[in-house]
Amino acid sequence: MKDQSDKQEIKDFKVLAQFTAVYCRAHHQGAKRPLQPSEVDVEGLNLEPHSLCEKCREFLAYAIERRQRCPLDPKPSCKHCEIHCYRPGHREQVREIMRFSGSRLMLRGRLDLLWHYFS
Ligand SMILES: [Zn+2]
């Protein structure tokens, strides 16, 4: 069961990375590079295809770290969670990136699911 959810999690991280990269490409200039495996402690997660600026790397690393550290299993929607571990503004950032990149990538079907995981 745990294996299953780990795989799902990696998929979700990749989609979030893709979304963030699409958003970053359209909004941010400057030097970009993908997050390295040493920066996100998730086995089997390769973010090499997704180049990000420094801010977006930080955002993505933070989102992944929070998601991984969630002590609740299954994870509830953060809105209904009593821990509220996200820093202020993070949910808004997730929402903005998903709205922008979701409409670009035509991945609407996945959005509700991802929103549940990352907000
Ligand atoms: Zn960026």
Side-chain angles (χ1 to χ4, degrees):
M1 192 61 201
K2 186 61 183 156
D3 278 359
Q4 191 64 33
S5 68
D6 283 355
K7 266 183 209 144
Q8 184 58 52
E9 227 167 64
I10 284 179
K11 258 189 222 160
D12 290 333
F13 290 153
K14 281 185 182 163
V15 176
L16 185 68
Q18 186 189 8
F19 274 37
T20 310
V22 168
Y23 183 88
C24 187
R25 212 175 300 144
H27 291 86
H28 304 146
Q29 319 288 321
K32 299 188 184 185
R33 64 167 176 81
L35 274 177
Q36 301 303 306
S38 59
E39 294 174 283
V40 278
D41 190 18
V42 184
E43 204 176 325
L45 179 62
N46 174 17
L47 297 173
E48 201 61 45
H50 308 296
S51 268
L52 301 169
C53 74
E54 191 185 345
K55 268 191 185 160
C56 291
R57 287 200 303 274
E58 201 263 334
F59 162 82
L60 184 62
Y62 179 81
I64 290 174
E65 192 190 310
R66 293 316 322 171
R67 176 66 191 93
Q68 274 213 305
R69 286 198 186 170
C70 181
L72 306 176
D73 190 17
K75 177 186 171 303
S77 179
C78 293
K79 201 171 77 179
H80 303 295
C81 173
E82 287 167 15
I83 298 178
H84 289 304
C85 62
Y86 276 145
R87 64 190 171 190
H90 185 78
R91 296 184 80 234
E92 287 67 25
Q93 210 175 350
V94 174
R95 184 186 294 137
E96 198 188 331
I97 287 173
M98 285 195 180
R99 189 181 290 150
F100 179 84
S101 302
S103 61
R104 288 230 164 164
L105 296 169
M106 306 288 220
L107 288 171
R108 281 242 160 262
R110 297 272 302 144
L111 282 186
D112 286 350
L113 200 72
L114 280 172
W115 176 241
H116 178 87
Y117 274 116
F118 292 108
S119 66

